[in-house]
Amino acid sequence: MAKITRKPVPRKAAVPQKKAKAAIAKPARKPAPAKKSLKATKPWTPAEIHEVFSRFRKANPEPKGELEHVNPFTLLVAVVLSAQATDAGVNKATRALFEIADTPQKMLDLGEERLREYIKTIGLYRTKAKNVIALSAKVLSDFGGEVPRTRAEIESLPGAGRKTANVVLNMAFGEHTMAVDTHVFRVGNRTGLAPGKTPLEVELGLEKVIPAEFMLHAHHWLILHGRYTCLARKPRCEVCLINDLCRWPEKTV
């Protein structure tokens, strides 16, 4: 039998590793366009801002803060207690408290331990009780028992920050201040009225654009709007007074 011989099949030359990668590499994707920030939206015009606050004024001519108080001192105490707490929760605790301690001297006479019993349903009540007693002493020693009327002086009191000072100056003394809480911060950013990364940025932005004729009540209108309409999770755009002007790209109307 004749011997069958087969020619060896030539092997394909190995592709250099770098070239192989280049051959199978996919085209680079274009980067996704960045989401537009509120600062990139169409700016509000002075006429639109005037219209917004005219609507708020028409719907609620004399808005009131929801923290219950009987004088500037009890307002100061209530605002200090409201940090990281709801107004309703603070009111529940202070109704009985303010019946017996509505002045700095009476609060000192009550003492920290007894004060804690009145406010123990409020978050951080131990620290807050300590601050209230300390600020009562400072109001007596440094300000003659009267709540001071400048932002710097109020901020010098234990437990009182810029927001506290702005609330007291506005509600007790009629100053045109803008207190930025979580609701005002959200509304200022979401609507595009005054975008900002910090409460101070939003505060200064709102003060810059809101006409003076509305400033006395502006922070109350914005707080109430954020609390009952422009909610954090499910904003009620369908009943919003300013839904046609709002710059929020995700509004549902």
Side-chain angles (χ1 to χ4, degrees), residues 213-232:
E213 65 180 289
F214 300 113
M215 275 301 296
L216 179 61
H217 297 310
H219 99 269
H220 281 131
W221 284 321
L222 293 173
I223 287 171
L224 296 173
H225 187 65
R227 183 172 290 164
Y228 298 111
T229 302
C230 196
L231 309 179

Side-chain angles (χ1 to χ4, degrees), residues 26-187:
K26 294 182 180 180
R29 292 182 179 179
K30 292 182 179 180
K35 292 184 178 180
K36 292 183 178 180
S37 67
L38 284 175
K39 289 185 178 179
T41 62
K42 180 182 176 183
W44 287 72
T45 67
E48 288 174 325
I49 294 172
H50 192 279
E51 175 63 19
V52 164
F53 288 94
S54 294
R55 293 181 191 181
F56 285 148
R57 180 170 61 187
K58 183 177 180 180
N60 188 2
E62 295 290 335
K64 303 296 181 184
E66 296 186 330
L67 281 174
E68 297 174 5
H69 60 284
V70 296
N71 55 35
F73 173 72
T74 54
L75 173 62
L76 170 64
V77 171
V79 179
V80 168
L81 294 178
S82 71
Q84 301 181 47
T86 65
D87 287 0
V90 173
N91 292 338
K92 186 176 180 181
T94 57
R95 285 181 191 129
L97 171 64
F98 292 158
E99 287 182 0
I100 63 166
D102 59 355
T103 69
Q105 187 60 60
K106 290 179 182 178
M107 194 66 74
L108 281 179
D109 293 341
L110 180 66
E112 185 177 336
E113 185 174 346
R114 290 176 62 197
L115 174 57
R116 286 201 300 263
E117 290 301 308
Y118 280 94
I119 65 171
K120 63 184 179 182
T121 56
I122 301 174
L124 306 174
Y125 75 96
R126 292 182 182 277
T127 299
K128 290 176 180 179
K130 184 177 181 179
N131 285 335
V132 168
I133 294 300
L135 75 80
S136 298
K138 190 173 178 67
V139 167
L140 282 168
S141 63
D142 294 8
F143 304 108
E146 300 292 330
V147 175
R149 300 187 61 153
T150 70
R151 180 184 284 117
E153 289 173 330
I154 294 175
E155 288 188 49
S156 74
L157 300 173
R162 187 179 181 91
K163 188 190 80 171
T164 298
N166 284 339
V167 172
V168 173
L169 290 172
N170 179 266
M171 293 180 63
F173 305 124
E175 298 287 339
H176 288 188
T177 54
M178 176 57 62
V180 177
D181 67 352
T182 182
H183 301 298
V184 177
F185 185 79
R186 179 172 64 255
V187 172

